[in-house]
Amino acid sequence: MPDSSTPPSRTPLSPRGRALRQAVLALRQEHRGWTFPARLRVGVVARSQVELTITDAPGPDPALRADVVDALVEHALVRAALPHDETGDGWVLRAGALLPDEEECAWLHEVDRAVRLRGLLAPHLLLITKTGWYDLRDGSSKTWKRLRERRA
């Protein structure tokens, strides 16, 4: 019978895994309620980024979405939030289940198009909720039930 005083084993996270964990924790701390507006961010998770709030209304037509994302990516480049020499990120922060829907996928695929159009490396495309993260490119994900700040 295992000793109940033994703490559960923890698999060390990679630097990227730590950054994504921190993004989930920051979202939990920023929004204490169950609902909040979805946001699209472009940049690098846990570093610099630019943001756009996605309204609850039906999404814009594809041409308008492309124009909005192009402007967001340009803004990220001007602010140096999106790196030229490494892979950046595009992610949606929202409430709810950790399953991407068509609307989020459309926004993130526009980020991918806009970044590649500028000759940059293809970005990671992520969905981040208060329970975890999901990578649209490879289907990997991580969830937490009781995520807390780690003490030094």
PDB file of all heavy atoms in Angstrom, residues 14-45:
ATOM      1  N   SER A  14       8.680  21.529 -19.714  1.00  0.00           N
ATOM      2  CA  SER A  14       9.646  22.241 -20.566  1.00  0.00           C
ATOM      3  C   SER A  14       9.413  23.735 -20.378  1.00  0.00           C
ATOM      4  O   SER A  14       8.377  24.150 -19.841  1.00  0.00           O
ATOM      5  CB  SER A  14       9.401  21.856 -22.025  1.00  0.00           C
ATOM      6  OG  SER A  14       8.139  22.336 -22.445  1.00  0.00           O
ATOM      7  N   PRO A  15      10.333  24.573 -20.831  1.00  0.00           N
ATOM      8  CA  PRO A  15      10.081  26.019 -20.747  1.00  0.00           C
ATOM      9  C   PRO A  15       8.769  26.420 -21.435  1.00  0.00           C
ATOM     10  O   PRO A  15       8.030  27.256 -20.936  1.00  0.00           O
ATOM     11  CB  PRO A  15      11.293  26.631 -21.447  1.00  0.00           C
ATOM     12  CG  PRO A  15      12.378  25.622 -21.253  1.00  0.00           C
ATOM     13  CD  PRO A  15      11.676  24.285 -21.302  1.00  0.00           C
ATOM     14  N   ARG A  16       8.466  25.813 -22.556  1.00  0.00           N
ATOM     15  CA  ARG A  16       7.204  26.108 -23.256  1.00  0.00           C
ATOM     16  C   ARG A  16       6.011  25.652 -22.412  1.00  0.00           C
ATOM     17  O   ARG A  16       5.017  26.345 -22.294  1.00  0.00           O
ATOM     18  CB  ARG A  16       7.191  25.408 -24.612  1.00  0.00           C
ATOM     19  CG  ARG A  16       5.874  25.598 -25.338  1.00  0.00           C
ATOM     20  CD  ARG A  16       6.102  26.171 -26.670  1.00  0.00           C
ATOM     21  NE  ARG A  16       4.843  26.354 -27.346  1.00  0.00           N
ATOM     22  CZ  ARG A  16       4.245  27.524 -27.481  1.00  0.00           C
ATOM     23  NH1 ARG A  16       4.825  28.606 -27.029  1.00  0.00           N
ATOM     24  NH2 ARG A  16       3.106  27.649 -28.107  1.00  0.00           N
ATOM     25  N   GLY A  17       6.117  24.479 -21.817  1.00  0.00           N
ATOM     26  CA  GLY A  17       5.059  23.974 -20.944  1.00  0.00           C
ATOM     27  C   GLY A  17       4.838  24.874 -19.745  1.00  0.00           C
ATOM     28  O   GLY A  17       3.700  25.117 -19.334  1.00  0.00           O
ATOM     29  N   ARG A  18       5.924  25.406 -19.181  1.00  0.00           N
ATOM     30  CA  ARG A  18       5.801  26.344 -18.058  1.00  0.00           C
ATOM     31  C   ARG A  18       5.116  27.628 -18.494  1.00  0.00           C
ATOM     32  O   ARG A  18       4.301  28.189 -17.769  1.00  0.00           O
ATOM     33  CB  ARG A  18       7.170  26.633 -17.448  1.00  0.00           C
ATOM     34  CG  ARG A  18       7.664  25.522 -16.552  1.00  0.00           C
ATOM     35  CD  ARG A  18       8.871  25.950 -15.737  1.00  0.00           C
ATOM     36  NE  ARG A  18      10.026  26.318 -16.532  1.00  0.00           N
ATOM     37  CZ  ARG A  18      10.941  25.468 -16.995  1.00  0.00           C
ATOM     38  NH1 ARG A  18      10.823  24.188 -16.739  1.00  0.00           N
ATOM     39  NH2 ARG A  18      11.959  25.893 -17.707  1.00  0.00           N
ATOM     40  N   ALA A  19       5.445  28.104 -19.692  1.00  0.00           N
ATOM     41  CA  ALA A  19       4.823  29.335 -20.205  1.00  0.00           C
ATOM     42  C   ALA A  19       3.320  29.129 -20.411  1.00  0.00           C
ATOM     43  O   ALA A  19       2.516  30.008 -20.070  1.00  0.00           O
ATOM     44  CB  ALA A  19       5.491  29.757 -21.510  1.00  0.00           C
ATOM     45  N   LEU A  20       2.936  27.982 -20.947  1.00  0.00           N
ATOM     46  CA  LEU A  20       1.510  27.703 -21.151  1.00  0.00           C
ATOM     47  C   LEU A  20       0.793  27.530 -19.814  1.00  0.00           C
ATOM     48  O   LEU A  20      -0.327  28.006 -19.640  1.00  0.00           O
ATOM     49  CB  LEU A  20       1.338  26.467 -22.027  1.00  0.00           C
ATOM     50  CG  LEU A  20       1.744  26.667 -23.487  1.00  0.00           C
ATOM     51  CD1 LEU A  20       1.826  25.329 -24.212  1.00  0.00           C
ATOM     52  CD2 LEU A  20       0.793  27.601 -24.188  1.00  0.00           C
ATOM     53  N   ARG A  21       1.432  26.874 -18.863  1.00  0.00           N
ATOM     54  CA  ARG A  21       0.857  26.736 -17.524  1.00  0.00           C
ATOM     55  C   ARG A  21       0.638  28.112 -16.911  1.00  0.00           C
ATOM     56  O   ARG A  21      -0.400  28.392 -16.328  1.00  0.00           O
ATOM     57  CB  ARG A  21       1.784  25.907 -16.637  1.00  0.00           C
ATOM     58  CG  ARG A  21       1.281  25.721 -15.233  1.00  0.00           C
ATOM     59  CD  ARG A  21       2.343  25.023 -14.358  1.00  0.00           C
ATOM     60  NE  ARG A  21       1.838  24.793 -13.035  1.00  0.00           N
ATOM     61  CZ  ARG A  21       1.755  25.714 -12.082  1.00  0.00           C
ATOM     62  NH1 ARG A  21       2.163  26.944 -12.310  1.00  0.00           N
ATOM     63  NH2 ARG A  21       1.267  25.418 -10.896  1.00  0.00           N
ATOM     64  N   GLN A  22       1.610  28.998 -17.067  1.00  0.00           N
ATOM     65  CA  GLN A  22       1.504  30.347 -16.524  1.00  0.00           C
ATOM     66  C   GLN A  22       0.375  31.125 -17.200  1.00  0.00           C
ATOM     67  O   GLN A  22      -0.325  31.895 -16.559  1.00  0.00           O
ATOM     68  CB  GLN A  22       2.840  31.093 -16.675  1.00  0.00           C
ATOM     69  CG  GLN A  22       2.878  32.420 -15.988  1.00  0.00           C
ATOM     70  CD  GLN A  22       2.631  32.319 -14.490  1.00  0.00           C
ATOM     71  OE1 GLN A  22       3.092  31.396 -13.839  1.00  0.00           O
ATOM     72  NE2 GLN A  22       1.883  33.254 -13.948  1.00  0.00           N
ATOM     73  N   ALA A  23       0.172  30.901 -18.495  1.00  0.00           N
ATOM     74  CA  ALA A  23      -0.925  31.573 -19.214  1.00  0.00           C
ATOM     75  C   ALA A  23      -2.289  31.121 -18.680  1.00  0.00           C
ATOM     76  O   ALA A  23      -3.197  31.939 -18.513  1.00  0.00           O
ATOM     77  CB  ALA A  23      -0.819  31.299 -20.710  1.00  0.00           C
ATOM     78  N   VAL A  24      -2.427  29.832 -18.396  1.00  0.00           N
ATOM     79  CA  VAL A  24      -3.681  29.322 -17.828  1.00  0.00           C
ATOM     80  C   VAL A  24      -3.890  29.909 -16.437  1.00  0.00           C
ATOM     81  O   VAL A  24      -4.986  30.376 -16.098  1.00  0.00           O
ATOM     82  CB  VAL A  24      -3.680  27.775 -17.788  1.00  0.00           C
ATOM     83  CG1 VAL A  24      -4.894  27.248 -17.032  1.00  0.00           C
ATOM     84  CG2 VAL A  24      -3.635  27.206 -19.196  1.00  0.00           C
ATOM     85  N   LEU A  25      -2.844  29.924 -15.632  1.00  0.00           N
ATOM     86  CA  LEU A  25      -2.936  30.476 -14.276  1.00  0.00           C
ATOM     87  C   LEU A  25      -3.282  31.966 -14.315  1.00  0.00           C
ATOM     88  O   LEU A  25      -4.135  32.431 -13.560  1.00  0.00           O
ATOM     89  CB  LEU A  25      -1.622  30.256 -13.523  1.00  0.00           C
ATOM     90  CG  LEU A  25      -1.580  30.714 -12.080  1.00  0.00           C
ATOM     91  CD1 LEU A  25      -2.613  29.994 -11.240  1.00  0.00           C
ATOM     92  CD2 LEU A  25      -0.194  30.500 -11.508  1.00  0.00           C
ATOM     93  N   ALA A  26      -2.654  32.717 -15.220  1.00  0.00           N
ATOM     94  CA  ALA A  26      -2.944  34.151 -15.341  1.00  0.00           C
ATOM     95  C   ALA A  26      -4.400  34.382 -15.733  1.00  0.00           C
ATOM     96  O   ALA A  26      -5.049  35.301 -15.224  1.00  0.00           O
ATOM     97  CB  ALA A  26      -2.008  34.786 -16.359  1.00  0.00           C
ATOM     98  N   LEU A  27      -4.936  33.549 -16.624  1.00  0.00           N
ATOM     99  CA  LEU A  27      -6.339  33.676 -17.026  1.00  0.00           C
ATOM    100  C   LEU A  27      -7.259  33.407 -15.839  1.00  0.00           C
ATOM    101  O   LEU A  27      -8.229  34.124 -15.627  1.00  0.00           O
ATOM    102  CB  LEU A  27      -6.648  32.719 -18.181  1.00  0.00           C
ATOM    103  CG  LEU A  27      -8.040  32.821 -18.783  1.00  0.00           C
ATOM    104  CD1 LEU A  27      -8.276  34.202 -19.392  1.00  0.00           C
ATOM    105  CD2 LEU A  27      -8.234  31.737 -19.829  1.00  0.00           C
ATOM    106  N   ARG A  28      -6.931  32.404 -15.045  1.00  0.00           N
ATOM    107  CA  ARG A  28      -7.734  32.108 -13.846  1.00  0.00           C
ATOM    108  C   ARG A  28      -7.715  33.275 -12.862  1.00  0.00           C
ATOM    109  O   ARG A  28      -8.719  33.589 -12.240  1.00  0.00           O
ATOM    110  CB  ARG A  28      -7.192  30.867 -13.140  1.00  0.00           C
ATOM    111  CG  ARG A  28      -7.584  29.591 -13.776  1.00  0.00           C
ATOM    112  CD  ARG A  28      -7.104  28.439 -12.933  1.00  0.00           C
ATOM    113  NE  ARG A  28      -7.497  27.189 -13.545  1.00  0.00           N
ATOM    114  CZ  ARG A  28      -7.532  26.049 -12.901  1.00  0.00           C
ATOM    115  NH1 ARG A  28      -7.203  25.984 -11.626  1.00  0.00           N
ATOM    116  NH2 ARG A  28      -7.888  24.953 -13.517  1.00  0.00           N
ATOM    117  N   GLN A  29      -6.554  33.884 -12.704  1.00  0.00           N
ATOM    118  CA  GLN A  29      -6.437  34.984 -11.751  1.00  0.00           C
ATOM    119  C   GLN A  29      -7.101  36.253 -12.267  1.00  0.00           C
ATOM    120  O   GLN A  29      -7.649  37.027 -11.495  1.00  0.00           O
ATOM    121  CB  GLN A  29      -4.968  35.237 -11.427  1.00  0.00           C
ATOM    122  CG  GLN A  29      -4.354  34.112 -10.636  1.00  0.00           C
ATOM    123  CD  GLN A  29      -2.855  34.231 -10.491  1.00  0.00           C
ATOM    124  OE1 GLN A  29      -2.190  34.924 -11.250  1.00  0.00           O
ATOM    125  NE2 GLN A  29      -2.309  33.534  -9.505  1.00  0.00           N
ATOM    126  N   GLU A  30      -7.054  36.471 -13.565  1.00  0.00           N
ATOM    127  CA  GLU A  30      -7.633  37.677 -14.158  1.00  0.00           C
ATOM    128  C   GLU A  30      -9.157  37.638 -14.166  1.00  0.00           C
ATOM    129  O   GLU A  30      -9.811  38.656 -13.971  1.00  0.00           O
ATOM    130  CB  GLU A  30      -7.112  37.830 -15.591  1.00  0.00           C
ATOM    131  CG  GLU A  30      -7.591  39.066 -16.289  1.00  0.00           C
ATOM    132  CD  GLU A  30      -7.052  39.168 -17.703  1.00  0.00           C
ATOM    133  OE1 GLU A  30      -6.142  38.399 -18.084  1.00  0.00           O
ATOM    134  OE2 GLU A  30      -7.561  40.027 -18.440  1.00  0.00           O
ATOM    135  N   HIS A  31      -9.731  36.478 -14.406  1.00  0.00           N
ATOM    136  CA  HIS A  31     -11.188  36.334 -14.507  1.00  0.00           C
ATOM    137  C   HIS A  31     -11.678  35.336 -13.478  1.00  0.00           C
ATOM    138  O   HIS A  31     -11.532  34.134 -13.655  1.00  0.00           O
ATOM    139  CB  HIS A  31     -11.585  35.868 -15.916  1.00  0.00           C
ATOM    140  CG  HIS A  31     -11.232  36.831 -16.979  1.00  0.00           C
ATOM    141  ND1 HIS A  31     -11.927  37.996 -17.171  1.00  0.00           N
ATOM    142  CD2 HIS A  31     -10.248  36.828 -17.894  1.00  0.00           C
ATOM    143  CE1 HIS A  31     -11.381  38.664 -18.167  1.00  0.00           C
ATOM    144  NE2 HIS A  31     -10.359  37.979 -18.621  1.00  0.00           N
ATOM    145  N   ARG A  32     -12.266  35.840 -12.420  1.00  0.00           N
ATOM    146  CA  ARG A  32     -12.770  34.970 -11.353  1.00  0.00           C
ATOM    147  C   ARG A  32     -14.137  34.388 -11.685  1.00  0.00           C
ATOM    148  O   ARG A  32     -14.516  33.359 -11.166  1.00  0.00           O
ATOM    149  CB  ARG A  32     -12.845  35.743 -10.027  1.00  0.00           C
ATOM    150  CG  ARG A  32     -11.509  36.200  -9.524  1.00  0.00           C
ATOM    151  CD  ARG A  32     -10.717  35.026  -9.064  1.00  0.00           C
ATOM    152  NE  ARG A  32      -9.432  35.470  -8.533  1.00  0.00           N
ATOM    153  CZ  ARG A  32      -8.520  34.660  -8.109  1.00  0.00           C
ATOM    154  NH1 ARG A  32      -8.718  33.367  -8.138  1.00  0.00           N
ATOM    155  NH2 ARG A  32      -7.382  35.117  -7.653  1.00  0.00           N
ATOM    156  N   GLY A  33     -14.898  35.032 -12.545  1.00  0.00           N
ATOM    157  CA  GLY A  33     -16.231  34.550 -12.903  1.00  0.00           C
ATOM    158  C   GLY A  33     -16.178  33.456 -13.956  1.00  0.00           C
ATOM    159  O   GLY A  33     -15.121  33.076 -14.448  1.00  0.00           O
ATOM    160  N   TRP A  34     -17.367  32.976 -14.319  1.00  0.00           N
ATOM    161  CA  TRP A  34     -17.468  31.895 -15.290  1.00  0.00           C
ATOM    162  C   TRP A  34     -17.488  32.373 -16.729  1.00  0.00           C
ATOM    163  O   TRP A  34     -17.218  31.601 -17.640  1.00  0.00           O
ATOM    164  CB  TRP A  34     -18.722  31.069 -15.011  1.00  0.00           C
ATOM    165  CG  TRP A  34     -18.593  30.285 -13.757  1.00  0.00           C
ATOM    166  CD1 TRP A  34     -19.152  30.583 -12.553  1.00  0.00           C
ATOM    167  CD2 TRP A  34     -17.838  29.099 -13.553  1.00  0.00           C
ATOM    168  NE1 TRP A  34     -18.795  29.657 -11.615  1.00  0.00           N
ATOM    169  CE2 TRP A  34     -17.976  28.725 -12.209  1.00  0.00           C
ATOM    170  CE3 TRP A  34     -17.035  28.318 -14.374  1.00  0.00           C
ATOM    171  CZ2 TRP A  34     -17.365  27.607 -11.673  1.00  0.00           C
ATOM    172  CZ3 TRP A  34     -16.431  27.198 -13.828  1.00  0.00           C
ATOM    173  CH2 TRP A  34     -16.597  26.856 -12.501  1.00  0.00           C
ATOM    174  N   THR A  35     -17.876  33.624 -16.942  1.00  0.00           N
ATOM    175  CA  THR A  35     -17.935  34.125 -18.316  1.00  0.00           C
ATOM    176  C   THR A  35     -17.107  35.392 -18.463  1.00  0.00           C
ATOM    177  O   THR A  35     -16.972  36.176 -17.523  1.00  0.00           O
ATOM    178  CB  THR A  35     -19.382  34.433 -18.742  1.00  0.00           C
ATOM    179  OG1 THR A  35     -19.906  35.455 -17.894  1.00  0.00           O
ATOM    180  CG2 THR A  35     -20.253  33.193 -18.656  1.00  0.00           C
ATOM    181  N   PHE A  36     -16.559  35.573 -19.623  1.00  0.00           N
ATOM    182  CA  PHE A  36     -15.816  36.765 -19.994  1.00  0.00           C
ATOM    183  C   PHE A  36     -15.658  36.740 -21.513  1.00  0.00           C
ATOM    184  O   PHE A  36     -15.779  35.676 -22.129  1.00  0.00           O
ATOM    185  CB  PHE A  36     -14.452  36.832 -19.281  1.00  0.00           C
ATOM    186  CG  PHE A  36     -13.612  35.592 -19.426  1.00  0.00           C
ATOM    187  CD1 PHE A  36     -12.725  35.451 -20.488  1.00  0.00           C
ATOM    188  CD2 PHE A  36     -13.706  34.562 -18.507  1.00  0.00           C
ATOM    189  CE1 PHE A  36     -11.957  34.312 -20.622  1.00  0.00           C
ATOM    190  CE2 PHE A  36     -12.944  33.418 -18.629  1.00  0.00           C
ATOM    191  CZ  PHE A  36     -12.057  33.293 -19.693  1.00  0.00           C
ATOM    192  N   PRO A  37     -15.425  37.888 -22.122  1.00  0.00           N
ATOM    193  CA  PRO A  37     -15.319  37.904 -23.587  1.00  0.00           C
ATOM    194  C   PRO A  37     -14.064  37.181 -24.067  1.00  0.00           C
ATOM    195  O   PRO A  37     -13.014  37.256 -23.431  1.00  0.00           O
ATOM    196  CB  PRO A  37     -15.260  39.389 -23.931  1.00  0.00           C
ATOM    197  CG  PRO A  37     -14.918  40.082 -22.674  1.00  0.00           C
ATOM    198  CD  PRO A  37     -15.314  39.214 -21.538  1.00  0.00           C
ATOM    199  N   ALA A  38     -14.203  36.477 -25.166  1.00  0.00           N
ATOM    200  CA  ALA A  38     -13.054  35.793 -25.771  1.00  0.00           C
ATOM    201  C   ALA A  38     -12.104  36.829 -26.354  1.00  0.00           C
ATOM    202  O   ALA A  38     -12.527  37.906 -26.786  1.00  0.00           O
ATOM    203  CB  ALA A  38     -13.537  34.839 -26.855  1.00  0.00           C
ATOM    204  N   ARG A  39     -10.822  36.496 -26.340  1.00  0.00           N
ATOM    205  CA  ARG A  39      -9.808  37.388 -26.888  1.00  0.00           C
ATOM    206  C   ARG A  39      -8.847  36.605 -27.769  1.00  0.00           C
ATOM    207  O   ARG A  39      -8.527  35.461 -27.474  1.00  0.00           O
ATOM    208  CB  ARG A  39      -9.036  38.061 -25.757  1.00  0.00           C
ATOM    209  CG  ARG A  39      -9.923  38.960 -24.932  1.00  0.00           C
ATOM    210  CD  ARG A  39      -9.181  39.559 -23.783  1.00  0.00           C
ATOM    211  NE  ARG A  39      -8.415  38.558 -23.069  1.00  0.00           N
ATOM    212  CZ  ARG A  39      -8.536  38.332 -21.769  1.00  0.00           C
ATOM    213  NH1 ARG A  39      -9.367  39.018 -21.053  1.00  0.00           N
ATOM    214  NH2 ARG A  39      -7.800  37.425 -21.183  1.00  0.00           N
ATOM    215  N   LEU A  40      -8.386  37.247 -28.824  1.00  0.00           N
ATOM    216  CA  LEU A  40      -7.381  36.690 -29.715  1.00  0.00           C
ATOM    217  C   LEU A  40      -6.083  37.415 -29.431  1.00  0.00           C
ATOM    218  O   LEU A  40      -6.057  38.649 -29.403  1.00  0.00           O
ATOM    219  CB  LEU A  40      -7.796  36.892 -31.176  1.00  0.00           C
ATOM    220  CG  LEU A  40      -6.765  36.511 -32.233  1.00  0.00           C
ATOM    221  CD1 LEU A  40      -6.517  35.007 -32.233  1.00  0.00           C
ATOM    222  CD2 LEU A  40      -7.231  36.976 -33.609  1.00  0.00           C
ATOM    223  N   ARG A  41      -5.007  36.676 -29.216  1.00  0.00           N
ATOM    224  CA  ARG A  41      -3.699  37.283 -28.985  1.00  0.00           C
ATOM    225  C   ARG A  41      -2.688  36.760 -29.993  1.00  0.00           C
ATOM    226  O   ARG A  41      -2.748  35.609 -30.412  1.00  0.00           O
ATOM    227  CB  ARG A  41      -3.200  36.982 -27.574  1.00  0.00           C
ATOM    228  CG  ARG A  41      -3.954  37.733 -26.511  1.00  0.00           C
ATOM    229  CD  ARG A  41      -3.353  37.517 -25.157  1.00  0.00           C
ATOM    230  NE  ARG A  41      -4.084  38.296 -24.156  1.00  0.00           N
ATOM    231  CZ  ARG A  41      -3.896  38.171 -22.866  1.00  0.00           C
ATOM    232  NH1 ARG A  41      -3.009  37.313 -22.391  1.00  0.00           N
ATOM    233  NH2 ARG A  41      -4.585  38.908 -22.022  1.00  0.00           N
ATOM    234  N   VAL A  42      -1.753  37.633 -30.336  1.00  0.00           N
ATOM    235  CA  VAL A  42      -0.658  37.285 -31.232  1.00  0.00           C
ATOM    236  C   VAL A  42       0.621  37.765 -30.571  1.00  0.00           C
ATOM    237  O   VAL A  42       0.677  38.870 -30.041  1.00  0.00           O
ATOM    238  CB  VAL A  42      -0.826  37.956 -32.619  1.00  0.00           C
ATOM    239  CG1 VAL A  42       0.371  37.688 -33.504  1.00  0.00           C
ATOM    240  CG2 VAL A  42      -2.104  37.484 -33.289  1.00  0.00           C
ATOM    241  N   GLY A  43       1.640  36.944 -30.593  1.00  0.00           N
ATOM    242  CA  GLY A  43       2.928  37.283 -29.986  1.00  0.00           C
ATOM    243  C   GLY A  43       3.625  36.025 -29.543  1.00  0.00           C
ATOM    244  O   GLY A  43       3.739  35.072 -30.309  1.00  0.00           O
ATOM    245  N   VAL A  44       4.075  36.015 -28.286  1.00  0.00           N
ATOM    246  CA  VAL A  44       4.690  34.838 -27.688  1.00  0.00           C
ATOM    247  C   VAL A  44       4.048  34.658 -26.316  1.00  0.00           C
ATOM    248  O   VAL A  44       4.038  35.591 -25.512  1.00  0.00           O
ATOM    249  CB  VAL A  44       6.222  34.989 -27.558  1.00  0.00           C
ATOM    250  CG1 VAL A  44       6.832  33.784 -26.866  1.00  0.00           C
ATOM    251  CG2 VAL A  44       6.856  35.190 -28.931  1.00  0.00           C
ATOM    252  N   VAL A  45       3.513  33.475 -26.057  1.00  0.00           N
ATOM    253  CA  VAL A  45       2.872  33.197 -24.774  1.00  0.00           C
ATOM    254  C   VAL A  45       3.870  33.483 -23.650  1.00  0.00           C
ATOM    255  O   VAL A  45       5.032  33.121 -23.750  1.00  0.00           O
ATOM    256  CB  VAL A  45       2.386  31.737 -24.701  1.00  0.00           C
ATOM    257  CG1 VAL A  45       1.908  31.385 -23.311  1.00  0.00           C
ATOM    258  CG2 VAL A  45       1.284  31.498 -25.714  1.00  0.00           C
TER     259      VAL A  45
END
